[in-house]
Amino acid sequence: MNAIIIAAISGVIMMFSSVFINNKGAYRHIAAVLLLVLLGANIADTYGHHFFHIDVKGMLRFDRFGFLFNSIAIAATFIYVVLTGRSMEKIGKYTAEYFVLIFFVLCGICVLGCYNNLLMLFLGIEIMSIPLYILTGADKRNLKGNEAALKYFLMGSFSTGLMLMGITLIYGATGSFALNGIQLSKAMGGTSPAAGGPFLLESVGLILMLVSIGFKVSAAPFHFWTPDVYDGAPSVFTSFMATIVKAAGFIAFIKLFDARAGGSSVDVNAYTGVDWKMLFAFIIVATLLVGNITAVFQQSVKRMLAYSSIAQAGFMLFALFSLNDLAKEGLILYAAAYSLATIGIFAILVKMKDYTFEGYNGLGKTQPVLAAANTIFLLSLAGIPLTAGFFAKYYMLASVVKTGSYLWLVIVGVLFAAVSVYYYFRVIQAMYFKDGESETEEVSTGFKTGLVILAAIIVLFGVLPQSLLNWFYF
Amino acid sequence: MPIQYYIALASALFCIGVVGVLTRRNAIIVFMCIELMLNAVNLLLVAFSKMHYAKAAAAGAVTTAGTEGQLFVFFIMVVAAAEVSVGLAIIVMMYRNVHSVDVNFLNRLKN
C-alpha cells in the first residue's frame, strides 16, 4: 500500500515542482530522491511497517512476490532515471511532466504487483498504460513518434476492450471478480469439459484475457505493433516501455494464471475444455521464432532491440507455461536481469549519433568504458554464464523441466537462445573488431560510473542469483 | 428477458466493434469502434449483475449479490473518459502534423 500511495503523491509533487522550479536539471534530482523514498517505503512495507492503514476489502493482497517485484521495478526505475534522465531534457519542453507520468506508471505497476481482484487488474493496467501513450508521443513534431503514439494507443485500448470482455464473461460464469473466485465454477459444477453453459463463458473469457495480455507483453501473434512503437517512440521512453512496463505485464499475467491453475495444472484443461499447455506452447514457439529470426535481419540497433524484446518475452512466457515455484522465482530474476541489461544498452544507445550497427564501429577504441559495459549487458541478454541473464534463462528452462512434460519446448528454447547470440554479438563485433569513428555525445564521468555499477550488479546476480531471490524468504 | 438475449446483443455489438477496429482506417472511426466494444461490455456487465442478483434472490434472503458488476461499469466509464482525452489529443497532434487522420497515412510518409 505504501508504494501505491507514495508513487501517486510523488507524481503530484513533481507536477508542482514544475510550477515552482525553473531549473531543468533539478527535476531529475528531485525524481531520483523521490524514487529512493519510494523504494524505502516499499521495503518498509515488505517488513511490516505500513504507513497507511486502509481496509482494501481483499481487493489487493500483499505478499512477498508482489513486494519483491515492486522493489525491483522501483529500483530499476531509479537506475533508469539516474542514467538517462539527462537525455529526457532534450525531447521537449515539459521535462518535469515526463517524470510525473513515470511516477503514475509506477503507481499502476505497484497495483499490478499486488492485485487480487479483476477490477484492480483492469485499473492497474490502465493506470500504467495511459501515461505511456503520452510518453510515446512526447516528441510532438516527430512523425514517427506520432505514428508510434497513435498505434500504441489504438492497440492498447483495443486490447483493454478485449480484456474487459474477458473479465465480464468470467464474471457471468462465476459471479465474482475475486482472483481466487475464478475457480468458483469448478466447485459449483462438475469438471467435465462438455458441461457447456458457464464453462463455455469462462473458457472464452479466459482466452480473451490471454489475447489481451498477449498484446500487452507483445507475445506473437499479437506482437505486430511492437517494432513500430518501440522504434518510433523517443529512445529514452522506449527503454522504460520495453523493460519495466513489460515485466509488470508478465507479473500481472502470472498472478492471473497462477490463481486460475491454483497450483495444480492437471484439471485446468479438463474443466475449461481447452488444452492450455498446448496453447501456451504454441505462443511461446511463435514468439521465440518471430522475435529471434526477425532480429537477425535488422540494420538498426534500436529496431533490433525491439525484436529482441519480443524474443525475451518468449523466454519469460516459459514461466507462465510451467507455473510452479521455480517459475515464479525465475520470472523475478528474469525481470531484473532483462530490465537492468536493456536499460543499460538503451542508456548507451541514446548517447550514440547513429543508431545503425555501423554507428557502433570502433566504439571500443573511442569509448572503452561504454563499449565494455555494453558488452556485459549484451552478454547478459544472450544468456552467457557469469551474467544475470544466464541464471534467468536457466531458471526458466528448469521450471519447464520440473513439470516433466513438453521437454521439446526446452530444446526449442535453447536453440533460439543460440540464434539470439548471433545478433547480440554483431554489436560486440562492430564495437571491437571493425574500424570506424563512432560518434557519441558528450559522456560525463558520472554516467560512466553509473554504467560500471550497473554492469557490476548484473555480474553479481550472475554469480549469486540467490542474493536477489533470498528476499523471498527473509 | 432471458440472459441469452443480452449475451447475443452484447456479443453482436462487441464483434461489430472488433471488426471495425481491424478494418477501418480512419482513426476517429477506429476510436468509435473501441468505444462500442466498451459499451457492449457495460451492457453485458449490467445484465450479468441482474442475473446474479435474481439467482441469489430466488434462493431467498435479502442479498447484495451482483452489485459489484454495476460498480465495475462506473469504473469502465471513468477510465474510458480518461482514455478518450488522451486518445483525442494524440489524434489532434497527428492531424496538426500531417492534416489527415488516416491510420495508414503515416506509414506511407515514412517510405
Side-chain angles (χ1 to χ4, degrees), chain A residues 126 140 146-147 153 171, chain B residues 31 41 52 83 93 97 107:
Chain A
E126 285 305 293
K140 287 198 282 187
N146 283 353
E147 188 207 358
F153 168 71
Y171 174 65
Chain B
F31 198 37
V41 169
H52 287 305
E83 250 183 16
M93 172 178 80
N97 284 334
N107 267 338

Side-chain angles (χ1 to χ4, degrees), chain A residues 132-194:
Chain A
L132 275 181
Y133 304 145
I134 309 174
L135 286 180
T136 314
D139 194 356
K140 287 198 282 187
R141 300 274 160 224
N142 184 349
L143 286 184
K144 269 179 110 180
N146 283 353
E147 188 207 358
L150 186 69
K151 250 190 194 161
Y152 194 36
F153 168 71
L154 290 179
M155 278 299 111
S157 37
F158 177 60
S159 71
T160 302
L162 292 181
M163 184 174 71
L164 283 173
M165 196 60 173
I167 292 176
T168 306
L169 291 179
I170 290 171
Y171 174 65
T174 62
S176 159
F177 289 118
L179 202 54
N180 44 14
I182 301 180
Q183 288 176 305
L184 210 67
S185 70
K186 191 165 58 172
M188 288 196 306
T191 50
S192 87

Side-chain angles (χ1 to χ4, degrees), chain B residues 5-20:
Chain B
Y5 293 176
Y6 288 105
I7 297 180
L9 175 62
S11 328
L13 283 174
F14 189 76
C15 292
I16 293 171
V18 171
V19 171

Side-chain angles (χ1 to χ4, degrees), chain A residues 11 59 78 135 150 172 204 219 232 290-291 294 319 331 383 387 391 420 439 460:
Chain A
M59 294 183 101
F78 172 73
L135 286 180
L150 186 69
V204 176
V290 170
T294 333
L331 190 62
T387 56
F391 269 110
S420 75
E439 288 179 43
L460 173 74

Side-chain angles (χ1 to χ4, degrees), chain A residues 219-239:
Chain A
F222 317 110
H223 65 280
F224 47 84
W225 57 272
T226 318
D228 286 339
V229 171
Y230 284 8
D231 197 22
S235 303
V236 248
F237 298 134
T238 310
S239 166

